[in-house]
Amino acid sequence: MSIAIHPKLAEITQRIIERSRPTRTAYLERIRAFKQQGRLERDQLGCSNLAHGYASMPKTIKIEMQKATVPNLGVITAYNDMVSAHQPFKEFPDWIKDEVAKHGATAQVAGGTPAMCDGITQGYEGMELSLFSRDVIAMSVAVGLSHQMFDGALFLGVCDKIVPGLVIGALSCGHIPAVFTPAGPMESGIGNKEKARTRQLFAEGKVGRDALLQSEMGSYHSPGTCTFYGTANSNQMMMEFMGLHLPASSFFNPSSNMREALTRHAAAQMVAQIKNGTAKPIGEMLTEKSFINAVIGLMATGGSTNHTMHLVAMARAAGVIFNWDDFDEISSIIPLLIRVYPNGQADVNHFAAAGGLPFVIRELRNAGLLHDDVDTVVGHGMEAYTQEPFFAESGSLIWKEVPAESGNEEILRKFDNPFSPDGGLRLMKGNIGRGVIKVSAVAEEHRVIEAPAIVFNDQKEVLAAFERGELERDFVCVVRFQGARAMGMPELHKLTPPLGILQDRGFKVALVTDGRMSGASGKVPASIHMSPEALMGGNIGKIQTGDMVQFNANTGELNVLVDEKEWNAREIPAVDLTKYHYGVGRELFAGFRSLTSSAETGAMSFGGDFA
């Protein structure tokens, strides 16, 4: 079925293609120079090199690896047993090795990557390493694949910076095919409404740490991804919209039989494609339209604002150039089709049960709001991604169409009955700079505010002022010097409970920051990722306490109401950030801080062709 693409989407797409033409052409030329035409990847290596690559393998595998027709797959894993979402990956390499052996191939764990949990580091010094861990992960992938022993690669990762880092790394070796194999979400725990209520009661001093800890452990309780729709689960959505996962593989729980079956199927399918010559290198498979589909998915599902940076960075790794105007314009034509916490009370398990990503993809595709002219790990086009897997009587996997109707219209809706006519992510701009806001999580009555600024240089200063009772008023909370250059651009989730309490007490409040809030951004209007950041000369650094700030999330206007002559004459104050640059490994990231680009260009520390 051929469906005409929406004219506005076609216009945006063509603009991105034209803008990206020089960098995309250069990227493709680079990766094609490494492509082994008609040869296995390891055939280029010398005998001594190969011997080192074979040395650790069992004798039977060594025999197979010496055969000219046996592909060898590399596994890049982000396994550790501290991060709940990554603990299930412990078993995956053994499943993969066992399965590919049945299909005349071999596999090796090519390398591991770090995988930190923002939920653990939230509000503490480790969070200042979080964003840059994405670039470390990308480099770790390159190190693992640099042995040039692999005819394809499988990537095991789920969470916030891990998947973007894996994609960037995979694209640096874009001449080989790749498939991403997720681990799935933990089973549902206590309801999100109850969890949020306990957090707020604790912030008000009405319950103690024992009650708060029991609530949190009732929510985050077992192996698997956190079940709210934050950056981690937005990652899984994007991998499906980009065709890097098997269809509908994101949201099966780790303990399910389906999870192992999908992992094995992905490995076996890659072997078959390499052998029959249909496996497409990831750098060629992912085009401008693939990345645009990921942006569309982000808007249709109300996904994480972190991806206004990560998607930009991933695309740039393939020579594709996005900016926030593209996000804003795509958002304006994409309806919001799901409500999952923090945009609603359901979690991703409820969403998957109601129809999940295949339902969303089908609705967008049928409306001409998704590019079908793309390659995926299962072939050409997005039709396969409108189906979900089941076990056949033989035990093999088959994919079937999802039902025509949503299983729960409070969670998932059809294209002609959306929760909102637009995607809920908006560009904020004015004399402060450019930022983004996730309006889909903010009630209509809280989207417009004009109030004096109160300026802070640290989220801990905000918390202390709240405790002292100094914030009982209408105000715009400005937290600056939080950008990637200044201190690694930490997430500022500790601000959500106190600002939410003030909002509930009837005060008009908003947040403006050059830091992050991510996919868990809540009900308080927040213009985040302000670019340029204060340390790069951004005007957020000029704001003074008492300045009137106009914050209009409906129109995207964000301005300080100060006389233009006075505003232009102001200088950004010097702030001593030394204490943020040492301890818990932060001193090791000085180079990253000094090299990083702006949030709108992906906050990338690689420079060169990526900047």
Side-chain angles (χ1 to χ4, degrees):
M1 178 174 62
S2 179
I3 300 165
I5 203 76
H6 188 287
K8 183 65 175 177
L9 179 58
E11 175 192 324
I12 297 167
T13 300
Q14 192 57 39
R15 182 179 71 212
I16 293 169
I17 289 173
E18 291 301 324
R19 182 195 304 144
S20 305
R21 195 174 300 280
T23 47
R24 177 65 178 167
T25 300
Y27 171 77
L28 290 173
E29 288 175 353
R30 289 197 300 270
I31 65 168
R32 285 169 180 162
F34 279 91
K35 192 173 180 180
Q36 299 299 309
Q37 300 295 340
R39 304 167 65 197
L40 295 177
E41 182 78 356
R42 64 187 182 276
D43 286 349
Q44 64 189 303
L45 299 182
C47 293
S48 178
N49 308 79
L50 288 170
H52 280 83
Y54 298 157
S56 69
M57 306 307 290
K59 184 175 182 180
T60 54
I61 302 299
K62 286 182 184 178
I63 293 170
E64 290 300 305
M65 294 181 83
Q66 293 175 65
K67 294 179 180 178
T69 58
V70 174
N72 186 40
L73 306 186
V75 178
I76 299 289
T77 178
Y79 162 75
N80 64 55
D81 59 12
M82 181 201 68
V83 180
S84 64
H86 290 178
Q87 186 272 349
F89 286 131
K90 181 179 182 180
E91 310 297 332
F92 281 34
D94 288 340
W95 295 344
I96 291 166
K97 291 177 184 179
D98 178 67
E99 190 64 29
V100 300
K102 299 174 185 176
H103 297 271
T106 58
Q108 295 174 290
V109 174
T113 74
M116 66 183 294
C117 177
D118 289 359
I120 297 173
T121 59
Q122 195 63 246
Y124 296 94
E125 289 79 4
M127 174 54 77
E128 292 160 30
L129 308 184
S130 174
L131 177 60
F132 292 137
S133 75
R134 180 197 67 192
D135 295 6
V136 173
I137 290 161
M139 291 187 286
S140 299
V141 171
V143 170
L145 297 181
S146 68
H147 299 102
Q148 295 181 272
M149 288 276 296
F150 311 110
D151 304 293
L154 293 99
F155 293 88
L156 314 182
V158 173
C159 286
D160 296 17
K161 262 59 65 184
I162 292 85
V163 167
L166 292 176
V167 172
I168 294 168
L171 287 166
S172 76
C173 299
H175 64 289
I176 63 173
V179 63
F180 282 60
T181 52
M186 65 181 69
E187 295 178 0
S188 300
I190 66 168
N192 290 303
K193 189 174 183 179
E194 180 183 347
K195 177 181 69 176
R197 179 176 174 273
T198 304
R199 286 180 176 179
Q200 187 152 321
L201 288 172
F202 177 77
E204 293 177 291
K206 294 179 180 179
V207 300
R209 285 184 63 88
D210 288 349
L212 179 63
L213 182 57
Q214 289 305 308
S215 172
E216 296 294 327
M217 291 183 69
S219 179
Y220 310 114
H221 59 86
S222 67
T225 317
C226 304
T227 59
F228 65 86
Y229 194 55
T231 309
N233 286 316
S234 296
N235 280 338
Q236 307 316 297
M237 173 277 298
M238 290 195 310
M239 293 303 96
E240 293 206 19
F241 270 78
M242 292 169 69
L244 284 169
H245 276 178
L246 293 182
S249 61
S250 293
F251 298 133
F252 287 94
N253 303 125
S255 59
S256 68
N257 291 335
M258 183 61 76
R259 179 52 62 207
E260 180 176 350
L262 286 165
T263 303
R264 288 177 174 271
H265 188 93
Q269 176 184 269
M270 173 170 276
V271 172
Q273 290 175 343
I274 291 170
K275 287 189 168 187
N276 66 26
T278 61
K280 196 156 189 178
I282 182 176
E284 296 183 22
M285 188 187 91
L286 295 183
T287 65
E288 295 91 340
K289 292 178 181 179
S290 306
F291 290 103
I292 291 168
N293 279 354
V295 178
I296 291 166
L298 192 70
M299 303 310 167
T301 61
S304 169
T305 52
N306 269 329
H307 289 308
T308 60
M309 290 186 301
H310 295 324
L311 253 174
V312 169
M314 288 188 285
R316 281 178 174 254
V320 177
I321 309 300
F322 280 110
N323 61 43
W324 287 345
D325 294 297
D326 302 325
F327 282 75
D328 189 70
E329 290 187 43
I330 291 172
S331 181
S332 71
I333 60 172
I334 303 298
L336 182 66
L337 300 183
I338 84 168
R339 279 210 181 279
V340 177
Y341 189 82
N343 296 350
Q345 294 307 315
D347 68 22
V348 294
N349 292 311
H350 306 137
F351 165 59
L357 291 173
F359 189 101
V360 175
I361 290 171
R362 182 192 65 206
E363 291 297 303
L364 293 169
R365 182 171 176 266
N366 289 348
L369 284 171
L370 192 70
H371 287 296
D372 207 40
D373 183 21
V374 291
D375 289 312
T376 75
V377 295
V378 294
H380 189 73
M382 293 298 293
E383 184 176 8
Y385 288 82
T386 67
Q387 303 171 353
E388 58 185 339
F390 293 88
F391 285 109
E393 288 187 11
S394 64
S396 63
L397 292 181
I398 57 174
W399 271 260
K400 300 178 182 179
E401 289 286 334
V402 290
E405 302 299 325
S406 168
N408 186 333
E409 289 204 344
E410 295 302 308
I411 300 171
L412 174 65
R413 292 188 181 178
K414 300 182 78 168
F415 172 80
D416 58 5
N417 182 35
F419 291 102
S420 168
D422 60 55
L425 191 141
R426 191 153 296 147
L427 172 65
M428 298 289 286
K429 59 184 179 180
N431 63 2
I432 300 175
R434 289 163 65 89
V436 293
I437 184 172
K438 186 175 178 177
V439 291
S440 57
V442 180
E444 183 69 37
E445 63 269 24
H446 297 311
R447 295 181 181 179
V448 179
I449 173 175
E450 189 171 304
I454 303 180
V455 179
F456 304 92
N457 295 331
D458 188 316
Q459 65 175 329
K460 293 177 182 177
E461 296 174 4
V462 183
L463 300 176
F466 174 78
E467 291 293 333
R468 294 192 298 267
E470 296 172 2
L471 303 181
E472 304 280 327
R473 65 181 85 175
D474 294 353
F475 74 106
V476 174
C477 181
V478 177
V479 188
R480 61 191 184 179
F481 294 103
Q482 305 297 299
R485 280 281 174 97
M487 55 188 299
M489 207 174 186
E491 291 180 352
L492 306 176
H493 284 311
K494 293 285 187 182
L495 300 181
T496 299
L499 294 178
I501 290 168
L502 295 169
Q503 188 180 75
D504 289 347
R505 291 175 181 171
F507 299 110
K508 288 191 173 185
V509 294
L511 174 68
V512 176
T513 182
D514 49 10
R516 296 184 291 133
M517 288 293 282
S518 94
S521 304
K523 60 188 180 179
V524 176
S527 181
I528 59 177
H529 307 175
M530 292 304 302
S531 295
E533 64 173 278
L535 200 65
M536 295 176 76
N539 283 346
I540 187 174
K542 291 184 177 182
I543 303 174
Q544 298 176 2
T545 294
D547 289 343
M548 290 297 293
V549 177
Q550 175 194 58
F551 187 114
N552 190 324
N554 292 327
T555 63
E557 294 175 281
L558 180 61
N559 290 290
V560 175
L561 304 180
V562 173
D563 176 75
E564 185 176 0
K565 186 176 181 181
E566 178 191 344
W567 181 248
N568 291 337
R570 284 187 186 177
E571 295 185 357
I572 298 172
V575 175
D576 184 3
L577 298 170
T578 305
K579 68 178 181 179
Y580 302 108
H581 295 166
Y582 294 92
V584 199
R586 288 176 290 178
E587 55 267 45
L588 303 179
F589 287 75
F592 288 79
R593 288 191 297 270
S594 67
L595 292 172
T596 186
S597 65
S598 68
E600 187 168 5
T601 56
M604 301 180 80
S605 61
F606 302 121
D609 292 316
F610 294 101

